[in-house]
């Protein structure tokens, strides 16, 4: 049973919520194991990590099939590092027969090792997109968090993906008080100098803190959601049109979105149909980022 503070803020106000209206995108968490151990990782990922288990094709296929039956538009994969999962290419081979796919990756050794097998996926009926993490347009700042040599490896991965015609975007860090256009311009100069298209899509993310972190952020109330958001903008919160499937203690579970897998209160059951109608309370500290900044992991149309 959920605690009273699930429904009410400490001041007794009703918490804001999102009522899901569709399943446009289904995310799969491939597991928290990663070849890197970035200190800022919102998943707390590192080599050998088992907070969330690695998935195989037999784990995800029933959810892919169920999602297709529900009219899903895109299948997306995050981690950890998805390319550290042995079965990932097999999973994509199956999924790309049915829907476009997006994979989030750090663009280092796991992707580079599997790249020859990845090339064959260009011939699939649906398109594969990849989003590569490049935190800063400066090698020293990027490698301070990700380790020596990672900057050039990620640039190499971007070049290979672009040269082979994959759809590619870049994820960067969003800092408080930054001059966003100036930061993006610095990235575009880096892209040009590195032999990449200058117009690569850039997606900026704030610091979401590590799993289980207690962060002092404002509480989002029902009044906030009507005062600062419209019906149209509420429908564009990720939890309004997407779900994430995780492997937790050996069981496949459906969570409300990609940012709340560290809170079991957001476990919405063992099937997509079961989860679709459940109201999503904006209780998690990361919900405030979506409320305030419009943070979204999605690259679906309209997101």
């Amino acid at each position: 049973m959920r605690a009273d503070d699930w429904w009410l803020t400490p001041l007794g106000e009703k918490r804001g919520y999102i009522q899901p209206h569709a399943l446009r995108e289904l995310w799969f968490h491939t597991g928290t194991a990663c070849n890197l151990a970035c200190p800022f990782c919102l998943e707390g990922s590192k080599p050998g990590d088992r907070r969330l288990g690695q998935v195989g094709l037999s784990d995800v296929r029933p959810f892919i099939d169920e999602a297709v039956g529900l009219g899903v538009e895109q299948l997306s994969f995050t981690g950890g590092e998805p390319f550290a999962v042995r079965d990932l290419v097999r999973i994509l081979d199956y999924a790309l027969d049915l829907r476009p796919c997006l994979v989030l990756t750090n663009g280092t050794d796991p992707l580079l090792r599997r790249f020859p097998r990845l090339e064959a996926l260009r011939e699939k009926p649906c398109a594969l997109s990849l989003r590569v993490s490049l935190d800063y347009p400066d090698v020293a700042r990027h490698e301070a968090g990700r380790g020596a040599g990672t900057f050039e490896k990620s640039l190499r991965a971007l070049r290979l993906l672009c040269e082979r015609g994959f759809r590619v975007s870049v994820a960067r860090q969003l800092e408080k008080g930054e001059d966003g256009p100036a930061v993006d311009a610095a990235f575009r100069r880096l892209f040009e100098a590195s032999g990449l298209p200058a117009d690569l899509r850039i997606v900026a993310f704030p610091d979401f803190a590590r799993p289980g972190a207690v962060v002092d952020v404002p509480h989002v109330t029902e009044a906030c959601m009507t005062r600062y958001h419209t019906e149209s903008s509420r429908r564009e919160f990720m939890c309004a049109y997407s779900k994430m499937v995780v492997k937790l203690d050996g069981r496949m579970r459906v969570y409300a979105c990609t940012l709340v897998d560290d809170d079991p209160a957001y476990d919405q059951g063992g099937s997509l149909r079961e989860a679709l109608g459940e109201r999503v309370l904006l209780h998690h500290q990361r919900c405030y980022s979506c409320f305030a900044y419009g943070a979204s992991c999605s690259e679906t149309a309209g997101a």
Side-chain angles (χ1 to χ4, degrees), residues 9 13 15-16 24 32 103 127 146 160 187 193 224 242 256 267:
T9 72
E13 298 173 280
R15 287 197 184 276
R24 294 200 332 240
T32 46
V103 182
R146 295 188 180 262
L160 286 170
F187 268 97
C224 294
S242 70
D267 182 334

Side-chain angles (χ1 to χ4, degrees), residues 103-140:
V103 182
L104 312 191
T105 175
N106 59 40
T108 61
D109 293 335
L111 182 149
L112 294 170
R113 281 197 302 268
R114 297 192 192 279
F115 191 80
R117 294 183 62 202
L118 200 62
E119 284 193 272
L121 300 178
R122 291 183 300 161
E123 307 305 319
K124 301 297 289 185
C126 300
L128 173 62
S129 302
L130 299 102
R131 184 192 299 159
V132 178
S133 295
L134 202 63
D135 297 323
Y136 304 99
D138 174 78
V139 59

Side-chain angles (χ1 to χ4, degrees), residues 26-100:
L26 179 61
W27 285 82
F28 291 95
H29 200 301
T30 60
T32 46
C34 184
N35 62 308
L36 306 181
C38 307
F40 49 79
C41 179
L42 81 160
E43 295 292 356
S45 297
K46 59 185 181 295
D49 192 89
R50 296 182 180 179
R51 183 176 69 82
L52 296 178
Q54 290 196 357
V55 298
L57 178 57
S58 62
D59 294 317
V60 305
R61 183 160 46 195
F63 292 92
I64 292 174
D65 293 343
E66 185 184 13
V68 169
L70 292 169
V72 76
E73 298 171 14
Q74 179 168 291
L75 302 167
S76 299
F77 300 83
T78 185
E81 171 50 48
F83 285 100
V85 175
R86 183 175 301 175
D87 236 10
L88 182 71
V89 176
R90 288 182 66 222
I91 291 170
L92 292 173
D93 183 62
Y94 181 79
L96 288 165
D97 281 335
L98 302 168
R99 292 293 187 271

Side-chain angles (χ1 to χ4, degrees), residues 236-278:
E236 292 307 315
F237 276 60
M238 275 193 68
C239 55
Y241 62 83
S242 70
K243 300 291 179 188
M244 184 166 76
V245 179
V246 310
K247 190 172 187 177
L248 181 63
D249 297 327
R251 300 165 63 223
M252 300 299 287
R253 306 297 295 171
V254 180
Y255 271 65
C257 93
T258 59
L259 299 177
V260 296
D261 58 70
D262 61 341
D263 186 344
Y266 286 96
D267 182 334
Q268 296 187 322
S271 75
L272 297 172
R273 288 186 185 278
E274 182 182 356
L276 272 181
E278 188 167 340

Side-chain angles (χ1 to χ4, degrees), residues 148-165:
T150 56
F151 190 76
E152 183 50 46
K153 286 178 182 178
S154 294
L155 287 174
R156 180 187 169 202
L158 284 165
R159 282 192 293 269
L160 286 170
L161 293 167
C162 289
E163 287 168 1
R164 301 306 194 274

